[in-house]
Amino acid sequence: MPRRSFLPPEEKDESEGVVRSLQPGVEGEQTRLKSGLAKGTVSTANAEDGARPTDVPIDHRKWSKTDGVKRKSSDEMISLAQGARIQAMRGLRSSGRLRIQNPWRCSRLSLLVTLLSALFVLVTVRSFLSRQVDPKGCRMSYMRPGFAKFADFDTEHTRFASKYELYLYREGGIDEDTRVKGVPVLFIPGNAGSYKQVRPLAAEAAQYFHDVVQHEAAARKDGKLSLDFFTVNFNEDISAFHGQTLLDQAEYLNEAVAFILSLYHDPRRSIRDPDLPDPSQVILIGHSMGGIVARAMLVMPNYQANTINTIVTMSAPHARPPVSFDGEIVRTYQKINNYWRDAYAQRWANNNPLWHVTLISVAGGGLDTVIPSDYASLASLVPDTHGFTVFASSIPNVWTGMDHQAILWCDQLRKVIIRSLMELIDARRPGQTRPRADRMRVFKKWLLTGLEDVVEKALPQMEPTILLTLEDNSNAIISQGERFALRSFGASQKAKAHLLPVPVQAAAGQKSFSLLTDQALTATGTNENLDVLFCSVFPLQLGQSASLFSMNMDLSGNSSGSTRLACKNAAVDVTHLPASTRTSHHPFDDVTPFSYLQYHVEDVAEHQFVAIVDKAAHPTAGWAVAEFSSTAQSQIQSGLGFWPLLLSGFRMTLAADRPMVTQIKLPAVHSSLLAYRLTIGRHGCGDGSELFTSFVRQYISDPYESKFFVNVKQANINLHGIAPFMPPPMRQASGTEGVSLQVWSDPACHSTMDVALDLDILGSIGKLFMRYRTLFAAFPLLVAALVLRKQFAIYDATGVFVSFGEALDRCLRQSLPLVFLALSICAVGLARRAGSSSRSHRFLDGVSRWRGNATESPRRDYRQNDLLLGSPDPFFWFLVPVLGATSVGLCLLLHLLVTGLTYVCLAAYGIVVTRPGWVRHDDDPRGSSSSFAANSARRRLATISVLLVLVSTIIPYQFAFLVACLVQAATCARALKVAHETRSAQHFSLYHYAHAILILMIWLLPINIFVLLVWVHNLAVHWLTPFSSHHNVFSIMPVLLLVETIACGNMIPRITTPYVLLVLRWSASGRVALRAPRADPGLCSASLRSVTQLLLIVFGGYAAVYGVSYAYTLHHLFNLVLAVWFLALHSSATGALYSLAARLSLFLGLAPAPAPDSASALASADGERERERERDRDRDRDPDHLLHHLHPPADHRYPQLQHLHDPDHHHDDNDDNDDDDGHDGHGGRALDLGQGKKRP
């Protein structure tokens, strides 16, 4: 039966036109071919190089070893030769063939997209490095370290004793005794971190205790002891990319904690006060991944309950893993985070194993370029009663961001961390720390600005300690509602009190008290110039002694009439703010900070006066400003929407009579992907007349991130708010709060102030780098998969496997825009779904609070932002085409780079290897170059078997994947060499196919390379214990088989016949038989082509949607789906698939599928082939076979012509259709079940 055409309409029209144009010359062609046969020459043309037709001599001897050839009539052979001639002439007239076979070919559209992509990447990197960059203000720390190794912490205690080590830190010149004597603190280094990173913190702890704490009697009475800093040498383990390494470290640390606590029970190794209880808990400090290891310790089976109650982490990615290239690290994160969430979701504290644990996360901010500081958030893990996240720029007296390593040695930060730890220590308790609620108060006091609503004020809980005596005729009482401003101290050369009446709460409404001064305020009352007291009238009764107060401040001047006030010192709640003067540049400048007090009226309602006492005895420079202001005047809620903010910005003019502190709330500014530019315009205040220059605090409340801008005129506004791929918080806010701007300005200027906020487009582009850099491990796979799909589509239709650049150009014009559009719609849908989920959970949170549970949280989907862009904001849908186009450019650049390296390898090979003479490639019985001489099946099987045995025992499968990539690269070089030598379209197709698979494998290589680095590192530290994971041979075997198949020069067959479709059917006798489908061959082949294209589309779509959060699954999809399918197609070319299925049916006792014409043909296939070889030896010089010497270009759109240029092709005289031979045009045998022809 005639073959049915499945060419696209444009291909059919083009081929029909060529055939019609060549039809008048057919008769002449017949005559010329007959004469050529008689003379022993055949004329042909090389369509590859456009040469003119030449006479090719026929060498009868060259075909003496041809097997299985059956005779055909001369007329039939001439008609076949005519078809070959037509195709050769069509190749001459077509200009597209050379372009398809040119590996370097790139269309203008592809080059334009690549140039735009390169420009976008350059702009992004430049913006990331130079725009919206926070200033660096860390001061260097110094120490004199000493380490004592615990050699007795050996294999009797832990199985990791030969890999890890435990040390005790001692500061030289201060504390060199290696016996324990204080409170145990364990430092955990992070990914590739060193145990020596403990030095700054431990040195500061030793220095602070030696210089300050041990000299304070009250501190010793409160149970303050020194800190014994222990540290662990992980040999710079790479724990961020390997989950099993993280779990090994957690297991080792639990055993180290037990060993550390045992040291305090040994009198030979401890010199603690015997009256104090031995420690039962250890404080943990973790840097980077060390913070995750600290949290994992509480999940491990060997964790001893209640041995950890305080964890401080620094730049630790709590919310999600930094990369998802290892499946074990993703599952470990899920296990840890689910444990913590479930613990705090318990209704009763007795059911919460973490009820006593305090967790603090300190983030570095925008300067941390190792991990996004958004990942340090604890909002989805811990309620605010047990922990919080704070940025370094928020911490008083630090006020600067810091990079991933500087957060350890920054002198300002280490002082705050050590002082907070020292304050929460109570060695009188077995846990060595104060109760959880007290620990939280201490951390909030030291780490938060003091301006947050969650910070508890100490003043209301205090008792009056100061008796203030004033003259009755004192005129220092400020009128109600007036602002107090003191521009210098000591003007009266004696102490003087200025009283501000506290408004009555009912009449005051929402009011607050604010005081700002450049003087230091201390709670001990030792201030030289200024005291701020909250006082109540205290009439001294008869017989009552003034000794009830610890301090008696008499300002009456020995006057007979006096007023006595019982006062509290407000310095206990003082907040330090960065000094802002005309010479200020940064908030972290080494100058004395401002002191600031702020109270709501309800917090001080029990008092009648605020006494501002000027204690200077002589004129002294300094100032103080205080006022009661209305909340309606000091807080401005902006109703500006998101789109108006982006298009026109925010503009506002503050009135001249504004309060000293003005707060502007901007709910529309909430995304961490957008950056803004703030401009402050001041008017009217003359030079030198202002007390201080204006300064601004930018802040958000979840997490606690504040930034200060002193002497501000312009400032960069960027934040860590709503970020991509972040899980939703445990407690959903009532609405989007956005960023707030708190502006301090000198009220004495009496001038207006202009505030402007505009979007910084270039600065915003740089924010994409940190949040979406891992996306470029997934999106390029989408592009590569779609390009490979296009290559297969063209190959199945035309027989030409086009180059990667050619297919990429066609995808850019057709499929890629549609795919990016669909993904953009998907991004909008996912964002809207996340938004609706948040609204529903806000209602459930309200119900939970109404039930009175402090920690119980309704169950929610914490993985709702894991997909695609990971953003809950639909506005960012445009990032899909932008990042997609960038991935297109990266794919083309990689294609050109790999092609260039292939040519370089060929040039180097040509220099090293010199061919001794002409080599006849015609003599290759496979019709291919000797570069693809096949190894024996036994050798191939042995090579793969050895590699799989190593994978199952010693090496991870990622190493085998790297080897496969190298072999595939070598295959590409060999295929290109053969293609250039033979100028054969078949070999160019093989090269393009191998090259496309290599591109896909290279994009998968980063997913595998990090686990391989962990394995190499373990070898470097002589840790030879194999991984407990990554040794599944099925995770790599299909890839190895596919690479080995291609390395043997086997081209994947075209899907033109339904030889792969095998089904199990019930026979008439009731037995299950393996049968071929009786469907139309064209429909079957079209369905198989759809399978290939569908698998590639699904793979690319999965990579785009799930690739960032679950990148490790991409390797398994490629291995278990694509590689297996490609192997099935390769196997079908040699009949191996049918043979395997037939033998499987016999093994299972099923009726084997007979050959379509004879039931015994399949069973005797091997014997039949041997008998055909014997018959063919008698006619190896038959002139009827001379046309096998024709080598025109292969055009797989006409499979029936393959025997004319395939020396390994064999004819069957009994065939009615010349495409029903035993081969598929690629040197392999195929069983055409749909045609029903007998095959050898």
Side-chain angles (χ1 to χ4, degrees):
M1 59 180 293
R3 175 174 292 276
R4 183 174 177 179
S5 174
F6 288 94
L7 292 177
E10 61 275 12
E11 295 287 347
K12 293 177 63 177
D13 294 342
E14 182 182 1
S15 62
E16 291 170 1
V18 173
V19 172
R20 285 195 297 270
S21 64
L22 298 176
Q23 190 65 31
V26 172
E27 295 180 359
E29 185 70 20
Q30 293 176 349
T31 304
R32 189 185 61 77
L33 287 172
K34 290 181 179 180
S35 63
L37 287 173
K39 295 186 295 182
T41 62
V42 175
S43 178
T44 183
N46 191 348
E48 303 297 338
D49 54 8
R52 300 180 63 181
T54 58
D55 289 337
V56 179
I58 300 177
D59 186 359
H60 298 268
R61 294 171 299 176
K62 188 167 61 175
W63 299 99
S64 59
K65 296 183 179 180
T66 310
D67 297 332
V69 180
K70 292 184 173 56
R71 298 178 178 273
K72 283 186 179 288
S73 64
S74 300
D75 293 338
E76 185 177 1
M77 297 178 66
I78 291 173
S79 65
L80 294 175
Q82 290 173 2
R85 178 67 173 170
I86 290 172
Q87 295 308 308
M89 296 180 67
R90 179 172 180 247
L92 284 173
R93 293 169 178 256
S94 174
S95 62
R97 177 69 56 83
L98 289 177
R99 289 198 304 268
I100 291 175
Q101 292 186 355
N102 182 11
W104 294 99
R105 181 183 182 274
C106 299
S107 66
R108 295 180 179 178
L109 177 60
S110 300
L111 291 177
L112 177 61
V113 173
T114 303
L115 290 176
L116 292 178
S117 302
L119 179 63
F120 176 75
V121 172
L122 290 176
V123 171
T124 302
V125 174
R126 180 176 177 81
S127 173
F128 172 73
L129 296 177
S130 61
R131 295 186 67 91
Q132 293 282 336
V133 178
D134 297 335
K136 299 180 180 180
C138 279
R139 292 188 287 272
M140 184 58 66
S141 55
Y142 300 94
M143 69 290 298
R144 289 167 291 182
F147 295 94
K149 178 182 176 181
F150 291 97
D152 53 341
F153 185 50
D154 51 17
T155 53
E156 294 183 1
H157 299 84
T158 175
R159 64 189 180 100
F160 298 101
S162 61
K163 185 180 181 182
Y164 302 143
E165 297 170 335
L166 180 65
Y167 289 89
L168 174 66
Y169 179 90
R170 285 300 184 230
E171 179 70 3
I174 294 179
D175 185 9
E176 298 180 355
D177 193 339
T178 58
R179 292 176 296 178
V180 295
K181 56 184 176 182
V183 176
V185 180
L186 178 60
F187 174 80
I188 308 173
N191 179 62
S194 170
Y195 70 100
K196 297 180 180 179
Q197 291 175 320
V198 72
R199 293 174 298 179
L201 291 171
E204 176 62 26
Q207 193 74 42
Y208 180 66
F209 181 83
H210 178 267
D211 296 343
V212 179
V213 177
Q214 70 174 354
H215 302 295
E216 296 178 354
R220 294 194 301 271
K221 184 179 179 181
D222 292 339
K224 306 301 180 186
L225 293 180
S226 62
L227 299 178
D228 292 329
F229 265 89
F230 297 84
T231 183
V232 181
N233 180 17
F234 285 140
N235 283 310
E236 300 182 358
D237 256 351
I238 305 176
S239 57
F241 311 127
H242 194 231
Q244 188 58 48
T245 298
L246 190 150
L247 295 177
D248 291 346
Q249 292 181 357
E251 179 183 343
Y252 175 82
L253 288 175
N254 278 327
E255 294 160 348
V257 166
F259 178 80
I260 291 171
L261 294 178
S262 68
L263 296 177
Y264 293 87
H265 298 283
D266 188 353
R268 297 171 302 173
R269 312 186 74 165
S270 174
I271 55 174
R272 276 172 58 101
D273 188 344
D275 295 334
L276 296 175
D278 293 327
S280 62
Q281 293 178 332
V282 176
I283 299 174
L284 301 182
I285 299 180
H287 172 243
S288 186
M289 291 302 296
I292 310 304
V293 176
R295 289 177 49 224
M297 293 171 61
L298 284 75
V299 184
M300 299 299 294
N302 65 336
Y303 170 65
Q304 298 182 11
N306 298 325
T307 55
I308 299 171
N309 67 358
T310 303
I311 303 176
V312 178
T313 66
M314 309 168 77
S315 294
H318 291 287
R320 57 178 292 113
V323 292
S324 59
F325 296 159
D326 175 42
E328 192 66 28
I329 194 72
V330 175
R331 290 186 288 270
T332 299
Y333 256 85
Q334 292 176 350
K335 178 182 178 181
I336 297 171
N337 289 349
N338 289 338
Y339 178 85
W340 282 69
R341 289 166 182 152
D342 293 342
Y344 289 117
Q346 299 301 317
R347 181 173 179 81
W348 306 108
N350 292 336
N351 299 327
N352 182 2
L354 304 178
W355 179 258
H356 64 287
V357 178
T358 301
L359 177 61
I360 306 298
S361 176
V362 182
L367 291 177
D368 190 345
T369 58
V370 176
I371 62 168
S373 289
D374 309 281
Y375 293 0
S377 174
L378 299 174
S380 64
L381 300 170
V382 178
D384 53 10
T385 56
H386 290 71
F388 59 87
T389 304
V390 61
F391 282 72
S393 58
S394 306
I395 300 176
N397 300 312
V398 178
W399 297 317
T400 179
M402 50 198 68
D403 60 47
H404 201 67
Q405 297 298 329
I407 200 169
L408 287 171
W409 55 259
C410 185
D411 186 58
Q412 302 100 302
L413 179 62
R414 69 166 184 162
K415 284 180 166 60
V416 175
I417 295 294
I418 294 304
R419 282 154 179 76
S420 63
L421 291 178
M422 196 63 70
E423 184 170 339
L424 61 83
I425 285 174
D426 187 355
R428 299 169 298 178
R429 298 168 53 90
Q432 305 298 294
T433 59
R434 297 164 66 176
R436 178 191 54 81
D438 291 342
R439 297 200 302 271
M440 287 297 299
R441 277 191 288 268
V442 170
F443 282 126
K444 289 177 180 179
K445 168 188 172 183
W446 284 97
L447 300 180
L448 300 185
T449 63
L451 305 175
E452 295 83 1
D453 294 335
V454 297
V455 177
E456 300 178 13
K457 301 296 183 180
L459 186 71
Q461 283 76 38
M462 289 177 56
E463 293 294 332
T465 57
I466 300 175
L467 180 62
L468 178 63
T469 305
L470 303 175
E471 297 183 43
D472 285 340
N473 59 352
S474 174
N475 57 0
I477 300 178
I478 310 300
S479 301
Q480 186 84 30
E482 286 190 15
R483 178 183 296 116
F484 169 75
L486 185 63
R487 306 187 71 89
S488 63
F489 295 98
S492 59
Q493 298 186 355
K494 64 176 183 179
K496 184 177 181 179
H498 305 270
L499 303 181
L500 272 72
V502 176
V504 180
Q505 184 176 359
Q510 293 292 331
K511 280 194 172 184
S512 61
F513 170 77
S514 302
L515 180 141
L516 183 67
T517 179
D518 62 346
Q519 303 296 307
L521 300 178
T522 60
T524 58
T526 58
N527 312 315
E528 296 182 358
N529 298 324
L530 183 66
D531 276 334
V532 179
L533 312 175
F534 280 81
C535 305
S536 302
V537 175
F538 183 79
L540 190 62
Q541 302 296 330
L542 184 63
Q544 188 175 10
S545 171
S547 61
L548 295 174
F549 301 93
S550 59
M551 179 180 296
N552 187 3
M553 187 179 297
D554 189 356
L555 306 181
S556 62
N558 297 323
S559 175
S560 57
S562 61
T563 301
R564 294 177 175 83
L565 302 176
C567 302
K568 305 176 184 178
N569 194 338
V572 293
D573 293 324
V574 68
T575 297
H576 290 165
L577 298 178
S580 179
T581 63
R582 289 188 176 272
T583 59
S584 299
H585 299 287
H586 301 290
F588 48 80
D589 291 341
D590 192 10
V591 295
T592 303
F594 290 168
S595 298
Y596 181 70
L597 291 172
Q598 178 177 303
Y599 294 99
H600 295 292
V601 170
E602 54 267 23
D603 294 333
V604 295
E606 62 177 304
H607 307 288
Q608 286 82 42
F609 298 98
V610 179
I612 303 174
V613 182
D614 177 6
K615 301 194 301 182
H618 52 82
T620 305
W623 51 267
V625 180
E627 65 179 5
F628 283 92
S629 59
S630 172
T631 304
Q633 295 178 340
S634 60
Q635 293 186 4
I636 301 173
Q637 182 78 25
S638 172
L640 190 65
F642 181 71
W643 281 103
L645 175 65
L646 296 184
L647 297 177
S648 58
F650 171 78
R651 303 286 186 277
M652 175 172 286
T653 300
L654 302 181
D657 58 346
R658 64 186 177 276
M660 177 179 62
V661 184
T662 304
Q663 182 171 294
I664 304 173
K665 295 185 177 182
L666 300 169
V669 182
H670 58 264
S671 175
S672 62
L673 296 178
L674 297 178
Y676 301 85
R677 189 71 175 171
L678 175 67
T679 304
I680 301 293
R682 294 171 291 182
H683 305 279
C685 207
D687 294 339
S689 60
E690 59 192 2
L691 300 177
F692 61 94
T693 57
S694 300
F695 62 100
V696 176
R697 173 192 174 221
Q698 164 215 326
Y699 74 94
I700 56 175
S701 299
D702 190 14
Y704 296 113
E705 180 185 24
S706 296
K707 295 181 181 179
F708 290 90
F709 308 98
V710 297
N711 193 22
V712 62
K713 299 180 179 64
Q714 287 187 335
N716 294 323
I717 303 297
N718 55 78
L719 61 149
H720 293 81
I722 298 179
F725 305 109
M726 287 293 294
M730 296 183 68
R731 296 291 186 185
Q732 194 69 36
S734 58
T736 303
E737 297 182 0
V739 75
S740 297
L741 301 177
Q742 209 166 1
V743 184
W744 282 265
S745 58
D746 187 358
C749 290
H750 296 288
S751 61
T752 60
M753 175 180 290
D754 296 329
V755 179
L757 187 69
D758 297 289
L759 177 67
D760 185 357
I761 298 178
L762 291 178
S764 300
I765 293 176
K767 301 303 174 185
L768 299 176
F769 178 81
M770 284 297 298
R771 276 76 178 190
Y772 284 115
R773 56 185 177 178
T774 56
L775 186 140
F776 291 108
F779 258 48
L781 282 171
L782 165 66
V783 178
L786 293 179
V787 171
L788 186 58
R789 183 203 69 86
K790 176 61 67 175
Q791 289 175 298
F792 271 108
I794 298 174
Y795 176 59
D796 289 335
T798 67
V800 176
F801 207 96
V802 298
S803 67
F804 189 90
E806 173 75 14
L808 180 61
D809 176 58
R810 299 196 183 192
C811 288
L812 277 175
R813 301 176 188 274
Q814 298 173 4
S815 57
L816 279 175
L818 296 178
V819 171
F820 291 155
L821 176 61
L823 290 176
S824 300
I825 297 174
C826 180
V828 174
L830 291 173
R832 294 189 182 278
R833 182 178 70 91
S836 61
S837 176
S838 299
R839 288 190 293 271
S840 64
H841 280 290
R842 279 197 289 269
F843 170 76
L844 296 177
D845 285 340
V847 173
S848 178
R849 293 189 186 96
W850 175 75
R851 291 171 60 185
N853 185 17
T855 62
E856 183 180 7
S857 176
R859 196 68 180 176
R860 67 188 64 199
D861 183 11
Y862 289 101
R863 296 183 292 180
Q864 66 184 25
N865 296 326
D866 284 355
L867 308 182
L868 200 55
L869 294 177
S871 175
D873 193 342
F875 168 76
F876 295 103
W877 67 267
F878 66 90
L879 291 178
V880 171
V882 170
L883 298 176
T886 305
S887 300
V888 170
L890 293 177
C891 283
L892 185 58
L893 289 175
L894 178 63
H895 157 65
L896 297 176
L897 177 62
V898 172
T899 303
L901 292 177
T902 304
Y903 274 94
V904 170
C905 293
L906 284 182
Y909 180 82
I911 295 174
V912 175
V913 179
T914 304
R915 191 182 299 275
W918 295 101
V919 177
R920 290 189 53 144
H921 302 286
D922 299 345
D923 291 334
D924 189 353
R926 291 161 27 93
S928 61
S929 172
S930 60
S931 296
F932 284 109
N935 295 325
S936 66
R938 181 175 301 176
R939 179 178 298 179
R940 293 170 53 194
L941 181 61
T943 302
I944 296 178
S945 300
V946 169
L947 194 56
L948 291 179
V949 169
L950 290 177
V951 168
S952 64
T953 56
I954 300 176
I955 65 175
Y957 69 80
Q958 288 83 357
F959 180 83
F961 185 83
L962 177 61
V963 173
C965 290
L966 297 177
V967 172
Q968 186 69 12
T971 301
C972 288
R974 294 162 59 202
L976 184 60
K977 173 178 176 292
V978 173
H980 279 295
E981 289 178 351
T982 62
R983 305 298 297 171
S984 169
Q986 276 187 301
H987 295 133
F988 272 108
S989 294
L990 176 60
Y991 163 70
H992 294 320
Y993 168 58
H995 179 81
I997 297 296
L998 177 61
I999 293 294
L1000 204 59
M1001 294 177 67
I1002 289 177
W1003 284 120
L1004 288 169
L1005 189 58
I1007 299 175
N1008 295 277
I1009 199 67
F1010 289 102
V1011 175
L1012 183 59
L1013 292 177
V1014 176
W1015 178 71
V1016 173
H1017 173 269
N1018 285 347
L1019 293 181
V1021 298
H1022 307 291
W1023 179 255
L1024 303 181
T1025 303
F1027 293 160
S1028 59
S1029 57
H1030 308 294
H1031 290 288
N1032 188 348
V1033 295
F1034 294 104
S1035 297
I1036 193 60
M1037 185 169 62
V1039 172
L1040 295 180
L1041 293 176
L1042 176 63
V1043 170
E1044 180 65 21
T1045 301
I1046 301 174
C1048 292
N1050 295 321
M1051 178 61 187
I1052 194 168
R1054 293 172 57 202
I1055 302 178
T1056 57
T1057 55
Y1059 46 72
V1060 183
L1061 293 181
L1062 300 172
V1063 297
L1064 289 174
R1065 293 183 176 179
W1066 290 98
S1067 65
S1069 61
R1071 298 181 66 191
V1072 179
L1074 189 64
R1075 303 286 185 183
R1078 301 182 180 274
D1080 181 79
L1083 296 178
C1084 291
S1085 61
S1087 63
L1088 289 180
R1089 289 197 295 267
S1090 300
V1091 171
T1092 301
Q1093 299 186 30
L1094 179 62
L1095 289 179
L1096 289 169
I1097 291 175
V1098 170
F1099 175 78
Y1102 185 92
V1105 177
Y1106 293 89
V1108 174
S1109 299
Y1110 307 97
Y1112 68 96
T1113 59
L1114 298 178
H1115 168 86
H1116 300 296
L1117 280 178
F1118 174 76
N1119 176 71
L1120 298 177
V1121 178
L1122 295 184
V1124 169
W1125 177 249
F1126 293 157
L1127 280 174
L1129 296 182
H1130 277 286
S1131 300
S1132 65
T1134 60
L1137 182 63
Y1138 188 91
S1139 177
L1140 177 63
R1143 286 169 172 76
L1144 178 63
S1145 65
L1146 291 174
F1147 177 77
L1148 296 177
L1150 306 177
D1157 287 344
S1158 174
S1160 62
L1162 179 62
S1164 60
D1166 295 336
E1168 181 67 23
R1169 283 195 294 271
E1170 183 63 29
R1171 287 191 293 271
E1172 287 183 357
R1173 293 191 188 99
E1174 293 293 338
R1175 290 194 301 268
D1176 291 337
R1177 290 192 185 100
D1178 299 334
R1179 48 189 177 89
D1180 55 358
R1181 297 180 182 272
D1182 195 328
D1184 290 338
H1185 299 277
L1186 297 179
L1187 284 177
H1188 284 286
H1189 292 280
L1190 294 175
H1191 289 76
D1195 193 332
H1196 295 269
R1197 287 173 289 188
Y1198 300 88
Q1200 66 269 28
L1201 305 179
Q1202 293 302 315
H1203 64 283
L1204 295 178
H1205 53 266
D1206 189 349
D1208 200 29
H1209 182 85
H1210 309 296
H1211 276 290
D1212 190 343
D1213 287 328
N1214 297 324
D1215 287 348
D1216 296 329
N1217 194 338
D1218 53 8
D1219 67 339
D1220 292 336
D1221 54 330
H1223 299 269
D1224 64 344
H1226 303 280
R1229 287 179 289 275
L1231 186 62
D1232 193 343
L1233 300 180
Q1235 297 294 333
K1237 303 299 179 181
K1238 180 179 178 181
R1239 295 293 172 267

